[in-house]
Amino acid sequence: MDAEALLDFDVLEKLLLPWAESVASPEPERVDVVLAAEDLVTAVSTLLDAHWGYLAAITGLDGEQLEVLYHFCQDAAVLTLRVPLPKENPVVPSLCGLIPSATVHEQELMEMFGITVTDTPHTGHLFLPDDWPADVYPLRKEFDASVVVGDGRTAAPSPVEPGSNKFIVPIGPQHPALKEPAHFEFAVDGEIVTDGAVRLGYAHRGIEKATESRTWTQDLYLLERICGICSHIHTLAYVLGVEKLAGVTAPPRAQAIRVLVAELERFHSHLLWFGVAAHEAGFDTLFMYTWRDRETVMDILENLTGNRVNYSANLLGGVKFDVTPEQIEMILEGLDFFDGRIEHYLNVVSHDGMFLQRTRNIGVMTAVQAEQLGCVGPNARASGVTRDVRIEAPYAAYDVFPVEPIIATSGDLEARFMVRLQELQASSTMLRRLLANLPEGELTTRMPRKIKPGETISRVEAPRGELLYFIKSNGANMPDRIKVRTPTLVNMASVMSLAVGHQLADMPMLLAGVDPCFSCNDRAVSVKSVGVDGRIWSWAELRQYGIDWYANK
């Protein structure tokens, strides 16, 4: 879908005529609309009334003035609502009454840019320690780290009011059930969870800020270290965006190799997750088998790239290595092995009585809930939401080698297991087709040292769901701004929502079902309630009434 077709939508005509201060089409699939802050809620209501797109991310920018960018996506089209703000007393209205998932992005604006978001129930810290000094905003250009003085202590938000009769069960930040540091607090009435809060900022490293002081090439290696398990997909999103800004297209063979490594990384990620989830279910035998099998794909990746985790396969303009006939044979042998193992695992998760007790009809999330909470990846597809960037907006070589969409409708933990395992079957089929038709040609093309001024949005499908990069260049040899919206950031809200009403014993499996990556997340958020129709609704009320409200809109 190109920008001209995007503007033909009735909803966007209604949007543009009354409120747009200006309209631009910076790229074929993008439309930017400049709005005043006071018109934002009305414009977004128009989008929701027409069921156009979903809020994928909110980006803050600092330049001569502040600016807030609201990115809405539908298939390959991206509509960005741009709200310019003064640097003194910048204010925007909250969207959480319309889009509950917006609250996590709005907290980031308040904390990192000092932008006041009105009518939001969540005003606590997201990234930073609670003793962070006031009026110091790390992502503003004038930020001076020397003014920050504190002991770094971070107090987790409490999900219950003082004096309440509810009992609080804390989990983390160091806990045997957590593979990375995080802190959860669940309020329980007996064994039933009545509320919850999560703090995820313990792994924060300030990578977004660090990219602004490194060259385009140096940032490639920095962004690869956002997540070890998703290292390739982060660099793929980055290089595709930078190449688009530079007007450069990598050769077809390089694009195919990028897809090859991305799908092998999906095997690595899903098998690692499957083992961890099996462990949380008390099925340690399945954990051992899965991680034993994971060694096969790690050996393949090491043989291809020289590394088992941070593959460092991408370059700006192409890839570092070629694929030899011997390596193709090794990959095909590995796929033959996985075909049998995945079939076995599918049989286990759909027939083992003990496993089904922990997954079937547990954590059920409807398609409307998944849409409302902004879920992406296998979590959304397990609830019947067809949201896969590889299919909706093909990138690299996915237009030449498409992948079959995997959709389930039951929306429970069992469905999330089935979708991920069936995705590996679909990946295996696609990889065989790719390897049989690997394009000939060069591996790299020439890239300029300085990238011409401009902005772009790069979207890819990470193993956990849609990964979005906003990249801005001012013409120098360093980026002006890189915004990274990882899938865990938007998926985590569903855990706190689905936790209410379940037994405390289900919490480890609900958390594992999201496949969280706290290192990718680099963020913290308290999810206790959302604003709807002018008042604050609890998650329990939202589950009962809010879904009907959203569907009726």
Side-chain angles (χ1 to χ4, degrees):
M1 182 184 305
D2 59 21
E4 184 177 354
L6 181 64
L7 289 174
D8 285 340
F9 277 57
D10 290 340
V11 59
L12 295 184
E13 291 180 0
K14 294 176 184 176
L15 170 68
L16 298 176
L17 291 176
W19 302 296
E21 296 181 2
S22 66
V23 181
S25 179
E27 294 174 331
E29 300 86 10
R30 283 179 53 208
V31 170
D32 285 5
V33 179
V34 178
L35 301 172
E38 55 267 24
D39 294 326
L40 176 65
V41 172
T42 308
V44 172
S45 296
T46 304
L47 288 175
L48 296 182
D49 287 342
H51 300 283
W52 195 95
Y54 61 95
L55 179 64
I58 301 177
T59 299
L61 291 180
D62 183 15
E64 294 182 1
Q65 62 181 354
L66 294 176
E67 197 171 12
V68 182
L69 279 54
Y70 297 82
H71 307 296
F72 289 83
C73 299
Q74 178 167 294
D75 297 328
V78 180
L79 169 68
T80 299
L81 305 181
R82 308 180 71 108
V83 179
L85 299 170
K87 287 200 172 185
E88 296 296 328
N89 301 317
V91 178
V92 293
S94 174
L95 296 182
C96 66
L98 297 172
I99 306 173
S101 60
T103 183
V104 65
H105 306 294
E106 292 171 349
Q107 283 185 275
E108 179 181 359
L109 288 176
M110 290 187 287
E111 188 173 1
M112 306 303 279
F113 286 92
I115 296 172
T116 300
V117 180
T118 60
D119 301 320
T120 178
H122 305 294
T123 57
H125 281 279
L126 191 76
F127 291 85
L128 305 174
D130 286 343
D131 62 349
W132 189 268
D135 302 323
V136 176
Y137 308 115
L139 287 182
R140 288 214 187 182
K141 295 299 184 183
E142 67 270 16
F143 171 67
D144 180 3
S146 65
V147 304
V148 179
V149 178
D151 58 14
R153 291 179 297 180
T154 300
S158 174
V160 297
E161 296 297 326
S164 169
N165 291 325
K166 294 179 181 178
F167 185 71
I168 300 174
V169 178
I171 300 176
Q174 282 75 41
H175 191 276
L178 299 174
K179 61 182 183 292
E180 295 177 84
H183 184 89
F184 299 88
E185 288 187 351
F186 294 105
V188 297
D189 184 357
E191 287 295 321
I192 304 301
V193 175
T194 60
D195 221 334
V198 55
R199 189 70 177 256
L200 301 173
Y202 294 90
H204 181 60
R205 293 155 291 166
I207 287 179
E208 282 187 11
K209 185 68 175 179
T211 60
E212 298 174 10
S213 59
R214 288 162 175 78
T215 67
W216 295 101
T217 299
Q218 289 171 334
D219 282 335
L220 177 65
Y221 301 97
L222 178 65
L223 293 166
E224 186 175 39
R225 282 149 181 81
I226 288 178
C227 174
I229 308 305
C230 305
S231 62
H232 175 74
I233 202 69
H234 274 278
T235 61
L236 181 54
Y238 174 70
V239 297
L240 288 173
V242 177
E243 288 166 4
K244 190 160 42 172
L245 280 175
V248 170
T249 301
R253 188 173 181 89
Q255 301 283 28
I257 292 173
R258 287 171 171 179
V259 168
L260 169 65
V261 179
E263 293 305 310
L264 290 173
E265 182 176 67
R266 194 174 310 276
F267 270 91
H268 181 194
S269 178
H270 281 1
L271 288 173
L272 181 143
W273 163 82
F274 188 40
V276 171
H279 172 70
E280 300 298 346
F283 205 156
D284 277 350
T285 302
L286 186 59
F287 164 69
M288 296 294 183
Y289 280 137
T290 304
W291 276 40
R292 178 201 64 185
D293 295 345
R294 186 175 68 105
E295 289 295 313
T296 299
V297 72
M298 294 183 75
D299 288 343
I300 292 173
L301 286 164
E302 183 180 18
N303 186 274
L304 281 174
T305 70
N307 298 299
R308 289 165 60 85
V309 179
N310 290 325
Y311 315 119
S312 197
N314 284 304
L315 291 172
L316 290 172
V319 293
K320 285 185 177 179
F321 59 86
D322 203 353
V323 180
T324 66
E326 293 77 17
Q327 290 172 326
I328 291 176
E329 186 63 30
M330 179 185 184
I331 296 170
L332 292 174
E333 290 177 1
L335 293 177
D336 289 339
F337 169 75
F338 281 126
D339 286 347
R341 297 305 297 163
I342 299 304
E343 194 66 38
H344 169 68
Y345 293 143
L346 282 168
N347 181 63
V348 170
V349 301
S350 60
H351 291 90
D352 184 88
M354 185 278 290
F355 200 81
L356 290 176
Q357 287 180 358
R358 303 299 306 274
T359 59
R360 182 166 290 177
N361 298 321
I362 301 297
V364 176
M365 179 169 58
T366 67
V368 175
Q369 283 177 303
E371 289 274 13
Q372 187 181 38
L373 295 170
C375 291
V376 296
N379 297 290
R381 295 192 284 273
S383 296
V385 178
T386 307
R387 188 172 290 168
D388 190 325
V389 182
R390 297 174 297 172
I391 298 165
E392 296 174 337
Y395 52 92
Y398 282 109
D399 56 340
V400 181
F401 304 103
V403 65
E404 177 190 359
I406 304 298
I407 306 295
T409 56
S410 57
D412 59 2
L413 278 173
E414 181 189 9
R416 290 165 214 157
F417 277 85
M418 297 294 288
V419 163
R420 286 184 173 92
L421 292 173
Q422 289 171 355
E423 278 187 0
L424 296 186
Q425 291 180 319
S427 294
S428 177
T429 300
M430 187 271 278
L431 285 176
R432 292 176 188 278
R433 190 167 64 251
L434 183 149
L435 292 171
N437 299 278
L438 194 63
E440 298 294 335
E442 299 295 325
L443 298 178
T444 60
T445 191
R446 187 176 179 85
M447 277 288 293
R449 186 174 65 86
K450 295 183 178 181
I451 306 300
K452 59 186 178 182
E455 299 175 357
T456 192
I457 293 174
S458 180
R459 299 162 61 211
V460 297
E461 187 70 18
R464 295 171 173 89
E466 179 194 53
L467 172 65
L468 185 148
Y469 270 57
F470 172 88
I471 305 172
K472 180 179 180 180
S473 171
N474 58 12
N477 65 341
M478 298 180 182
D480 184 65
R481 173 83 164 99
I482 295 180
K483 157 75 175 179
V484 183
R485 200 278 286 141
T486 60
T488 299
L489 179 65
V490 290
N491 281 334
M492 186 54 69
S494 67
V495 178
M496 295 296 102
S497 174
L498 298 174
V500 176
H502 279 81
Q503 294 191 17
L504 182 64
D506 291 327
M507 293 307 103
M509 283 298 287
L510 282 176
L511 290 169
V514 176
D515 189 9
C517 175
F518 303 133
S519 177
C520 265
N521 225 36
D522 248 16
R523 291 156 171 83
V525 59
S526 170
V527 183
K528 296 190 289 184
S529 57
V530 297
V532 176
D533 286 350
R535 73 180 184 88
I536 304 304
W537 290 34
S538 70
W539 281 116
E541 289 177 309
L542 183 64
R543 284 155 55 93
Q544 183 177 358
Y545 302 108
I547 300 304
D548 293 334
W549 173 87
Y550 182 85
N552 290 337
K553 297 296 283 186

